[in-house]
Amino acid sequence: MHDYKNGKGGEPSVETVLTHAGRAPEEQFGFVNTPVFRGSTVLYNTLADLEAQKQRFLYGRAGNPTTETVESIVNELEGGHATKLVPSGLAAITIALMACVKSGDDVLITDSAYEPTRAFADQFLVPMGVSVRYYDPRIGAGLAELMQPNTRAVFAESPGSLTFEVQDLPALAKVAHDHGARLIVDNSWATPLYLKPLQLGADIVVHAATKMFVGHSDVLAGTITATEEAWPDVSRVRALLGYFSSGDDAYLVARGLRTLSIRMKEHEARALEIANWLQGQDEVVQVLHPALPDHPDHEIFKRDFTGSGSLFGIVLKPARREALAAFVDHMQIFAMGFSWGGYESLCVPSKVRRTVHPWSAEGPLLRLHIGFEGVDDLKADLAAALERYTEAR
Ligand SMILES: *Cc1c(COP(=O)(O)O)cnc(C)c1O
């Protein structure tokens, strides 16, 4: 592998890691990028080689140089023991949970988790004999009161999907470890550029690589990174379940990662500008963005994060459904759709499902992903939408 760490001594910056990690030009005729490897069968020359499993990749499902390129970039950024690329963000979440619990165990999941995380826990883990409970995302050290002798995992997502509560990860990690459980963190929003959960005590970090890593809305992928202690379980469950990500997809994830830092900076600045502007709009009751000083978790955000993402929420004044339709149906620049992280801006109404801490906002909640269109065009599109909302309300 290309050695980019020698030279100046000390740790390279994240920008240097993003541009140099995972590359091996000398192994591929000098070409800059690891090419797309497609393959199932790996060949062995002799019986001795076969018995010694002498190839670096034994069989296609074990990975290939293209998937390994992504894995080394992400692992370097997260500071993990090892990382595996998997077919989706949800696959990363389900592998991480299954790596920690078995029948008879208990898992605590934040009430603010991404909905498919809940669906997997309720509809797969529970029928497999795992007890699933939810906790208030702002519980912090109070989590200790919920821990049981059979609690093996605590799942956090910070900030939370749709509602943007920031979680006290060091406090959660301490409670989890005091009780022999692992902390799993979904770090899709901040990326390892702005939050490093393993440094804050987490054991496993998962990403919807589909979002910021890929950055162009054209690939589904996920990553799982773990500490040395947790890695054998993660690696075993991934292999047993047969998850594999193709070289074609891996190539695009690596390509996206190379520009992650400059994209994140642009997303951050644009999202903040629009979030601040929305705070002054009449129809907007609340802007849910952890980097705004009046966000309830802003202190934790400042302590643990070094930047903010592209995605935030707004709560509008209560209105008829027709007003919400008038808002979203005629937008010219923002498009409506699930997912986020691409170059294009999205605006989607969100339905919050809570079982521990009810969501109390009366008006509609919208989730905005700010892409790379002109900021003034985005503001004009939102201003027109707000005007239609006022008229129809
Ligand atoms: C989208 C998303 C996921 C799932 O990622 P997929 O690649 O779509 O499976 C997980 N967590 C969060 C926070 C997400 O936004």
Side-chain angles (χ1 to χ4, degrees):
M1 214 47 37
H2 168 63
D3 188 2
Y4 59 97
K5 292 188 184 172
N6 282 339
K8 72 176 169 63
E11 285 301 305
S13 65
V14 290
E15 287 86 357
T16 302
V17 173
L18 282 169
T19 45
H20 283 258
R23 283 169 40 194
E26 64 282 5
E27 289 171 24
Q28 58 219 16
F29 310 101
F31 285 104
V32 171
N33 293 297
T34 313
V36 174
F37 277 79
R38 292 201 184 96
S40 51
T41 302
V42 177
L43 304 176
Y44 300 82
N45 282 329
T46 63
L47 178 63
D49 286 357
L50 185 79
E51 285 172 349
Q53 302 200 332
K54 223 179 160 191
Q55 295 287 21
R56 183 144 131 245
F57 304 95
L58 301 182
Y59 174 60
R61 214 165 47 224
N64 60 51
T66 324
T67 57
E68 205 180 62
T69 291
V70 174
E71 289 158 2
S72 40
I73 302 169
V74 175
N75 197 56
E76 189 77 32
L77 293 173
E78 288 287 4
H81 173 69
T83 295
K84 205 72 194 168
L85 181 69
V86 295
S88 70
L90 185 58
I93 291 165
T94 61
I95 293 168
L97 283 165
M98 283 190 281
C100 297
V101 295
K102 59 181 190 326
S103 175
D105 291 344
D106 173 63
V107 56
L108 281 161
I109 298 178
T110 177
D111 207 17
S112 57
Y114 176 65
E115 180 62 29
T117 303
R118 290 184 85 108
F120 173 75
D122 295 343
Q123 296 169 41
F124 187 93
L125 291 181
V126 169
M128 297 296 270
V130 176
S131 131
V132 172
R133 292 178 298 146
Y134 293 90
Y135 66 90
D136 184 331
R138 296 194 165 110
I139 200 167
L143 185 74
E145 282 162 41
L146 297 180
M147 297 300 285
Q148 296 174 357
N150 63 339
T151 306
R152 287 287 160 268
V154 175
F155 189 97
E157 184 185 327
S158 184
S161 265
L162 309 180
T163 46
F164 299 91
E165 295 91 343
V166 181
Q167 298 199 253
D168 191 342
L169 297 182
L172 298 180
K174 180 163 190 322
V175 172
H177 296 162
D178 284 350
H179 293 79
R182 290 186 185 132
L183 177 64
I184 305 167
V185 178
D186 183 334
N187 192 25
S188 302
W189 184 83
T191 81
L193 268 55
Y194 293 159
L195 182 73
K196 293 199 189 288
L198 296 180
Q199 284 180 8
L200 300 176
D203 303 274
I204 301 174
V205 180
V206 294
H207 281 281
T210 308
K211 313 291 168 55
M212 300 314 314
F213 290 2
V214 166
H216 295 74
S217 307
D218 49 5
V219 182
L220 282 147
T223 62
I224 320 175
T225 305
T227 58
E228 190 172 2
E229 181 279 322
W231 182 251
D233 288 334
V234 170
S235 179
R236 180 176 45 82
V237 168
R238 200 270 330 164
L240 290 173
L241 290 174
Y243 280 118
F244 165 72
S245 211
S246 80
D248 298 81
D249 286 351
Y251 184 89
L252 289 170
V253 182
R255 184 184 171 117
L257 280 165
R258 299 297 179 200
T259 56
L260 180 65
S261 173
I262 50 177
R263 285 189 288 109
M264 284 302 283
K265 281 181 196 149
E266 271 300 306
H267 282 300
E268 174 176 34
R270 288 152 176 272
L272 274 172
E273 182 173 342
I274 290 177
N276 275 307
W277 175 80
L278 281 165
Q279 275 201 314
Q281 302 303 309
D282 225 21
E283 298 290 344
V284 179
V285 178
Q286 212 184 346
V287 178
L288 308 170
H289 190 313
L292 296 181
D294 66 352
H295 187 279
D297 308 317
H298 185 62
E299 288 308 311
I300 298 179
F301 172 80
K302 273 202 305 193
R303 185 192 67 191
D304 295 345
F305 291 67
T306 53
S308 56
S310 65
L311 197 72
F312 63 93
I314 54 173
V315 178
L316 299 176
K317 286 182 180 166
R320 305 180 300 147
R321 189 179 172 282
E322 288 74 11
L324 183 59
F327 188 107
V328 294
D329 285 356
H330 304 287
M331 295 191 99
Q332 302 292 313
I333 306 214
F334 280 91
M336 192 161 41
F338 299 110
S339 197
W340 50 279
Y343 54 84
E344 82 291 5
S345 293
L346 297 170
C347 171
V348 68
S350 308
K351 283 226 171 349
V352 181
R353 189 160 79 85
R354 283 299 162 79
T355 49
V356 175
H357 192 81
W359 175 247
S360 57
E362 284 172 43
L365 171 67
L366 292 161
R367 191 179 73 175
L368 274 64
H369 162 71
I370 307 302
F372 298 145
E373 301 90 345
V375 174
D376 290 341
D377 300 339
L378 291 170
K379 280 186 193 164
D381 204 23
L382 287 169
L386 288 165
E387 225 166 88
R388 291 193 299 274
Y389 191 76
T390 310
E391 275 161 27
R393 192 154 71 79

